[in-house]
Amino acid sequence: MSAIVDQHLSFKISVDGYNMVTTKDKNSTVIYDVTFVVKRISNTFSSPTSPTSTTSSSSMMNSLNTNSSCVNNKKNSDGTLFSLQVQKRYTEMRELYKKLNETFPELKLSFPPKLLFGNTNPETIERRKSELQLFFDQLTNLLSNETINQTHGTPIYDVVLPFFEDKDKHYV
């Protein structure tokens, strides 16, 4: 039996901060800073067969290379392969949530409710930021779950990655 290096990817999506901006129609809105980090984790073990996660990892890496214009490709000593940073409004994150629910109806993700008033109040922004982080933590766990990614016609990362394309539409 020879040693095989099992190359898994680890994911982290974080809501790092926010900014208040004024839209063209003179309304205030909140733009959240969202970061998606992909790291390679190598585990050496003895096995007669090759690991199954390598194919999925390669597919995701190809998607990252071809679909994301905001990729930071620096390979760091901590294993970071990609770092994607975007600024998104709550509405854009809600669209991701809706798309995930449509594509994967069996997933039960929590998401902060839409507010009619007070969404620019500092306490509300901080609470929503924490609730959004909970949503992204759940999403991070799903991205790491090989079973979910292999049992659907659409890998979950195919739904998530377009969210990280920087389109500047949130300022309109």
Side-chain angles (χ1 to χ4, degrees), residues 43-102:
N43 298 319
T44 304
F45 64 95
S46 296
S47 171
T49 61
S50 62
T52 58
S53 63
T54 305
T55 304
S56 178
S57 299
S58 298
S59 299
M60 182 173 187
M61 296 305 291
N62 289 336
S63 293
L64 279 168
N65 285 326
T66 57
N67 295 336
S68 298
S69 59
C70 53
V71 174
N72 175 359
N73 279 5
K74 287 194 304 187
K75 289 189 179 180
N76 296 328
S77 60
D78 68 352
T80 300
L81 296 174
F82 289 96
S83 176
L84 305 150
Q85 299 171 332
V86 294
Q87 294 182 320
K88 298 289 185 176
R89 290 179 68 174
Y90 166 84
T91 305
E92 294 170 286
M93 290 182 258
R94 186 167 177 80
E95 287 302 314
L96 172 62
Y97 169 73
K98 287 179 183 178
K99 190 165 190 173
L100 285 165
N101 279 338
E102 289 169 8

